[in-house]
Amino acid sequence: MKKLFAIVTFIALAAATFAQKAGDKVSFSSKDMAGNAVTSDIFAKNKLTMVNIWGTFCPPCIREMPDLAKLNSANKSNGVEVIGIPIDIVDRKGNVVPYTKADGDAIIKQTGADYTHVVPTKAMMDGFLKNVQVVPATIFVDKNGKIVGQVYLGARSQKDWQKIIDSLLSKQK
């Protein structure tokens, strides 16, 4: 009974961790880690975009990044792209924290995570990232910029992510 209560409590807390839900639109205008402009228009070129929110302080986040890079490469021809958002490289006002951004750049290079990583802005922190309290947290966004499926908390293997991607793609119109 205690185990069941713990599981139900965890699920309830996890659901409250992320303010967005399926059908909500994700909109942003920012820069990637290299300083290039990137907007939510990035979603329009794909059937599905995997948005992985990670932290430089998070070992599970870092461990899964090589698998995310492989997923990104393996799924491009299927209209799927991975983007990352290193949530801790800015303060709550949206100002880049230079030493943490440098850590993020080093982690990206070290893990081979050569997909787009978006620097969060104040508007993003006040919007769809507002209640993120657990990383990694992953959402999927369709070509119209709308969240599909659930919020996925925690790291997964390439194989497990592929099953989720395949399932979500099969439901796309």
Side-chain angles (χ1 to χ4, degrees), residues 38-81:
V38 60
T39 70
S40 48
D41 292 343
I42 195 170
F43 303 134
K45 67 180 184 171
N46 302 299
K47 293 178 189 172
L48 195 64
T49 303
M50 178 181 188
V51 180
N52 179 258
I53 303 157
W54 61 280
T56 61
F57 58 88
C58 171
C61 300
I62 296 165
R63 275 193 303 272
E64 85 172 337
M65 289 171 78
D67 279 350
L68 297 181
K70 291 175 193 169
L71 274 171
N72 190 51
S73 296
N75 285 283
K76 280 205 185 268
S77 63
N78 297 328
V80 178
E81 182 177 4

Side-chain angles (χ1 to χ4, degrees), residues 6-124:
I7 291 169
V8 170
T9 302
F10 176 77
I11 291 169
L13 287 172
T17 323
F18 204 85
Q20 303 296 327
K21 60 188 180 308
D24 286 352
K25 191 158 177 99
V26 175
S27 182
F28 68 88
S29 179
S30 186
K31 294 186 180 199
D32 65 17
M33 294 287 279
N36 303 306
V38 60
T39 70
S40 48
D41 292 343
I42 195 170
F43 303 134
K45 67 180 184 171
N46 302 299
K47 293 178 189 172
L48 195 64
T49 303
M50 178 181 188
V51 180
N52 179 258
I53 303 157
W54 61 280
T56 61
F57 58 88
C58 171
C61 300
I62 296 165
R63 275 193 303 272
E64 85 172 337
M65 289 171 78
D67 279 350
L68 297 181
K70 291 175 193 169
L71 274 171
N72 190 51
S73 296
N75 285 283
K76 280 205 185 268
S77 63
N78 297 328
V80 178
E81 182 177 4
V82 176
I83 66 171
I85 301 177
I87 198 163
D88 64 329
I89 66 164
V90 296
D91 61 23
R92 279 285 168 186
K93 294 179 181 177
N95 300 312
V96 173
V97 180
Y99 65 88
T100 311
K101 183 185 179 298
D103 289 347
D105 287 331
I107 290 165
I108 291 165
K109 184 176 180 179
Q110 171 193 359
T111 61
D114 57 356
Y115 46 90
T116 302
H117 294 268
V118 178
V119 175
T121 62
K122 179 164 177 23
M124 291 166 71

